[in-house]
Amino acid sequence: MSTAEHENGAVRETPDRYGAFPRLTPEQLEDLTAHGERRRTAEGEVLYREGEPFREFLAILSGTVEILHDQGGPDERTVAVHGPGRFLGELGLLEGQAAFNTAVVREAGEILAVPVERQRALVGSDPVLGDLILRAYLGRRFLLIGLGAGFRILGSCYSRDTLRLREFAARNRLPHRWVDLERDKEAEALLRRFSIRPEETPVVLWQGERLLRNPSNAELARLIGLPAPSSGNERCDVMVVGAGPAGLAAAVYGASDGLTTVTVDAVATGGQAATSSRIENYLGFPSGISGGELIERAVLQAHKFGARLMVPAEVSALTPQDDEYVVMFADGSRARAGAVVLASGVRYRRLEVPGIDRLEGISVYYAATVHEASLCRADPVAVVGGGNSAGQAALFLAQHTSGVHLLVRGGDLNADMSRYLVDQVEQHPKIEVLLHTEVRGVAGEEQLESLTVEDNASNERRELQAAALFVFIGARPRTEWLMGVLALDERGFVLTGADARAVADANRWALLGRDPMLLETSLPGVFAAGDVRSGSVKRVASATGEGAMAIRLVHEHRERRGNLVTAGPEGRGPEAGGSVSSR
């Protein structure tokens, strides 16, 4: 049943309380008219439907349009009602995703329809219009997520596959709602309605009848319309591996420079930055910015310049071939690239405590986002770590829980945490900082109930009540697939520049007549940027800077000789079939 409000028989327009429903000026509507067409609407007409791709950007000239979730289904409800001057759609329109709701004309009138591709170009070329639309679409996406619109994940809170799907949806900022088999009353009715046995869960439900039984992340991504790797032998100028701040910066600068740029990530755009509730020391945002908003803006920027983003797409191998590289994906597909930027970032280290394995993903986490916070309810939680990530997580979780125990192995919070964070953490009434403290044990059958912690100065142990444990104890690089391919340091980080030159194949570089450039690895034309690079500064700003710098170096590389030179007999030059190209 729709929940639209009516006034004197007419549908009442939703007020713009959060800046998500702005009105276009007459001048902006006039400018848009040159790029689209005016069209009359009829009462009850469906302008776009949930689950189908957006084809047009629609602005209302007269009449009203109601935005519905689960139209015609048992959960139908009104998301918003728009009148003259407002525009329709949300973030999926700009990012090529399917619509997460349905637009129905309630009062006949007239709309202005602009083809999606033309609208995307206008957003990039008109900064005022572009910023207005972008801010509105970002706001609408967050409202949809808060409303639980989009697809449903039906599964147990104790199922690792349920948590995998929930994490994928949350990390990619996809509107969805979780129906817990253990606690939600509607779960049993859904199982009966779709003839699903409990052992077949988790399942994904969308548009009333579409059902995926325990889908892979890739299958869920395809349902939403996220682009997949090509099964052919696609070629690009630059392949960027990893879509965190460094990878997205490389995508933006590569595409804006006219290079055909493809960026891939195994899980989601944003990397660890997207899980940060607020980044307060990023240049240009004096009041701070959430990691999710920063990444969403970067993704739209990359799309604006024509970069192709593919998620999930896990790279499994990198092979030199002629003067290019063949990039293999875990699903068997492949692509060719003239240059490669490695920006795969790092993953947090696991806490080695007896019995913790069975609780990971259920009540032991390595990220602190709205997704994880929603699972904690109002119970106290514990955060392990003494760096910036741990401090930001503690502050964020203190907004959602009754209390946070911050467990720090060392004796000084200032040792690894920025001063501004130390001040906020120490002054927060809900955060208890425990120095010289390490976790020695966990208790709880189906989920965490308490921790055993030890004071490493006095060796005294005690129990702490905690419904969840968040671990931020350093990170290791995502470079397992690069071992034996290019030079890594003793911790697995990618060596670049002079460090790479010291261990690289001297004959290869001598034939090229140059040394590796600043961010270049031991393979010519392969660069590393951000956290994955040995010696990098682990900050968002430095990662974006290195991503941009990597593209500058790609240009320098292209202007010189080709990527690969295979030494011939007695090292005199290229073997038969080898090539040296000028780019």
Side-chain angles (χ1 to χ4, degrees), residues 33-55:
T33 301
H35 301 279
E37 63 173 0
R38 300 168 74 106
R39 188 185 305 157
R40 298 295 303 177
T41 60
E43 183 178 340
E45 179 182 353
V46 176
L47 301 179
Y48 59 79
R49 196 177 297 278
E50 180 179 347
E52 297 178 357
F54 287 101
R55 304 192 185 283

Side-chain angles (χ1 to χ4, degrees), residues 123-159:
V123 167
S125 61
D126 186 332
V128 176
L129 178 65
D131 192 59
L132 177 74
I133 293 173
L134 175 57
R135 285 179 179 275
Y137 279 0
L138 283 169
R140 294 179 192 185
R141 171 58 60 94
F142 289 122
L143 285 174
L144 285 177
I145 291 172
L147 288 170
F151 55 90
R152 281 179 288 183
I153 298 173
L154 173 61
S156 168
C157 60
Y158 305 122
S159 162

Side-chain angles (χ1 to χ4, degrees), residues 154-157 162 178-184 187-188 191 198 201-202:
L154 173 61
S156 168
C157 60
T162 297
W178 172 41
V179 181
D180 187 358
L181 283 179
E182 312 298 331
R183 298 168 181 165
D184 287 354
E188 186 62 35
L191 291 174
T201 60

Side-chain angles (χ1 to χ4, degrees), residues 393-404:
L395 288 166
F396 172 69
L397 293 166
Q399 302 173 31
H400 299 271
T401 63
S402 60
V404 178

Side-chain angles (χ1 to χ4, degrees), residues 214-271:
N214 196 12
S216 66
N217 290 353
E219 289 172 325
L220 177 56
R222 302 298 86 84
L223 177 72
I224 305 306
L226 298 176
S230 171
S231 58
N233 204 14
E234 180 182 7
R235 188 197 179 280
C236 60
D237 293 327
V238 184
M239 173 72 72
V240 183
V241 182
L248 289 173
V252 168
Y253 282 88
S256 65
D257 283 353
L259 301 175
T260 55
T261 305
V262 176
T263 300
V264 301
D265 197 283
V267 180
T269 55

Side-chain angles (χ1 to χ4, degrees), residues 498-513:
D499 293 333
R501 180 69 177 90
V503 295
D505 182 344
N507 188 51
R508 170 179 286 151
W509 290 96
L511 288 168
L512 286 176

